[in-house]
Amino acid sequence: MVFALVGLVVLALLGAVHRYVWRRFVGDTTAPGSRLRRAGTVAAFVLPLLSVGAMTSGRVGAPFWLQQVLAWPGFLWLACLLYLTLALLVGEVVRPVLLRVLARRDAARTGAESGTASGTPAETSGTPTEVPDETRPRTEKLVTSGSTGVSAPPEAVARTASDAPDPVAEPETEPAATASAPAGTAPASALVPHPSRRLFVSRVVGGAAAAAGLATVGYGAYGVLRGPSVRRITVPLAKLPRAAHGFRIAVVSDIHIGPILGRAHTRRIVDTINATSPDLVAVVGDLVDGSVADLGSAAEPLAALRARHGSYFVTGNHEYFSGAEQWVDHVRELGLVPLENARAEIEGFDLAGVNDIAGETEGQGPDFGRALGDRDRGRAAVLMAHQPVVIHDAVEHGVDLQLSGHTHGGQLWPGNYLAELANPTVAGLERYGDTQLFVSRGAGAWGPPVRVGAPSDITVVELASRQA
């Protein structure tokens, strides 16, 4: 029931956002019945349907080719929708300011033209111009012309005026209230947005918002598709012996092999890791978004990982959406060592790994007692755990360093603020008591293949002995 209500709220919110985006980009900038209006309206219905299809096709078991067809446009549109909406909201601040500036400019221009036109006769004649008295009766202005030069009586003048053809009406200029306004003051009517002015402003603001939003998404997609960068940090451990000083662990998380990021993505990551010449590789969960049948070949480049002490793997929450048991078997075939609530003794420290908390639904959740309970606490302990939220269990079990991922660093700004609400650390290194927690931003992307404000990375963690 709760999930159904949440789903309805999300759908209603998406509907409202799409309505707003359509109005600003299509309704305010195109003519009714035009081709652009019709195309924009069709897109406003088709694009959200593609997004829903991209998010649900994998869960309902759709053919993998269909998942790929839906994923690119569907997920990219979600990123576009986010940044187009943010750009439009900024435009709401600019819009009234621009309208007012244009209104004052037009009013000043109109006033200048009116002043020039009224001043021309006086300037050219050089003599004062008699201003007719508008309060006099119209009949007193009319004088009959004749050879005798005798003025006609008023009755005749009135008859002559009534018989004469109507003069051509001059175009109206300004209302009386406008004419009496002080010089240099824009009339109130001039500040009311004119239809053509509103259209111009809507197109300028809409065009700028479209350019900003799409450029942001394009740059974020480029960052994901070119592959992760390499970061390096040094972490001192009090219990690390001198012999293990300088030990380098290549930490990679959230690779997210799937309908969008496939074999070429995996190959880029493997090449980047191997170029760092690590002593050990730690793959900290969320390797895949799909089954072994669909993505097994895309994960095969992992077999080329090279490290002196081997490559290790722990499950993330997405493995439990994709068949965790099958993936654990598959990565073992590729040469990685799965740590399922287990540990391995490495030169100078213990390396432990726990299952992701999402495995609790399948009876395969994290078991810290099994992974860390009977070890020698005089040795340094490094823990691989996908989600940072288990840091308090790590502190309780005397872990010196926990390696995690899951957060993507927020992936799409301002998503980092939401990630902070659910995780103790979103990215980077922080200390909790005697335990240090390092959270990787991840090497891939979930959903939209876009990152904004949280670039993908692989981090080489160099352990430092205080005895060195």
Side-chain angles (χ1 to χ4, degrees), residues 235-242 378-380 400 431 434 436 464-467:
V235 180
L237 299 181
K239 301 176 186 176
L240 191 73
R242 183 193 299 267
R379 287 170 55 87
D400 297 278
R431 176 178 289 276
D434 293 330
Q436 297 180 79
S465 171
R466 292 183 177 174
Q467 304 170 17

Side-chain angles (χ1 to χ4, degrees), residues 190-223:
L191 298 179
V192 178
H194 191 274
S196 62
R197 191 185 303 139
R198 285 197 299 268
L199 178 61
F200 172 76
V201 170
S202 294
R203 288 178 174 175
V204 168
V205 173
L214 296 178
T216 300
V217 172
Y219 183 76
Y222 169 74

Side-chain angles (χ1 to χ4, degrees), residues 50-63:
L50 288 173
S51 297
V52 172
M55 290 186 291
T56 60
S57 58
R59 301 293 178 89
V60 300

Side-chain angles (χ1 to χ4, degrees), residues 82-350:
L82 170 62
Y83 290 106
L84 289 174
T85 302
L86 291 176
L88 284 174
L89 292 176
V90 174
E92 297 298 343
V93 178
V94 177
R95 185 185 304 271
V97 175
L98 189 55
L99 280 170
R100 194 163 189 85
V101 168
L102 292 176
R104 291 190 178 278
R105 186 198 67 179
D106 292 346
R109 182 181 299 169
T110 302
E113 292 174 354
S114 299
T116 302
S118 61
T120 301
E123 294 172 1
T124 56
S125 62
T127 57
T129 303
E130 181 180 351
V131 180
D133 187 355
E134 295 294 336
T135 61
R136 297 177 186 172
R138 183 176 179 84
T139 54
E140 292 183 8
K141 294 182 182 180
L142 298 176
V143 180
T144 59
S145 59
S147 58
T148 59
V150 180
S151 298
E155 294 81 359
V157 173
R159 283 198 303 272
T160 304
S162 62
D163 293 339
D166 292 335
V168 178
E170 297 183 0
E172 296 182 3
T173 54
E174 295 288 341
T178 302
S180 61
T185 303
S189 61
L191 298 179
V192 178
H194 191 274
S196 62
R197 191 185 303 139
R198 285 197 299 268
L199 178 61
F200 172 76
V201 170
S202 294
R203 288 178 174 175
V204 168
V205 173
L214 296 178
T216 300
V217 172
Y219 183 76
Y222 169 74
V224 171
L225 297 178
R226 74 179 175 185
S229 60
V230 175
R231 299 178 59 216
R232 299 177 185 273
I233 63 170
T234 300
V235 180
L237 299 181
K239 301 176 186 176
L240 191 73
R242 183 193 299 267
H245 179 76
F247 193 97
R248 289 171 292 110
I249 303 174
V251 180
V252 59
S253 73
D254 302 280
I255 297 175
H256 285 290
I257 304 169
I260 294 179
L261 302 175
R263 188 183 181 95
H265 173 64
T266 311
R267 169 56 61 190
R268 281 191 296 270
I269 290 172
V270 169
D271 291 344
T272 302
I273 292 174
N274 287 343
T276 67
S277 300
D279 296 308
L280 183 146
V281 177
V283 182
V284 197
D286 276 8
L287 173 65
V288 293
D289 285 309
S291 66
V292 172
D294 291 333
L295 299 173
S297 61
E300 287 177 357
L302 293 172
L305 284 170
R306 297 289 179 264
R308 186 160 59 97
H309 291 275
S311 301
Y312 292 82
F313 169 79
V314 293
T315 56
N317 54 309
H318 281 248
E319 271 72 60
Y320 293 97
F321 306 147
S322 308
E325 186 176 349
Q326 291 80 9
W327 275 111
V328 167
D329 292 339
H330 190 62
V331 298
R332 185 181 286 113
E333 293 172 359
L334 296 176
L336 282 75
V337 179
L339 291 176
E340 299 181 274
N341 298 322
R343 74 174 181 274
E345 290 189 2
I346 308 297
E347 182 181 314
F349 64 94
D350 292 334

Side-chain angles (χ1 to χ4, degrees), residues 385-418:
H386 177 63
Q387 298 197 38
V389 293
V390 301
I391 182 61
H392 303 295
D393 294 287
V395 172
E396 182 180 342
H397 286 83
V399 170
D400 297 278
L401 173 64
Q402 176 178 319
L403 305 175
S404 297
H406 183 64
T407 67
H408 296 210
Q411 185 168 329
L412 297 171
W413 183 92
N416 55 305
Y417 297 111
L418 296 177

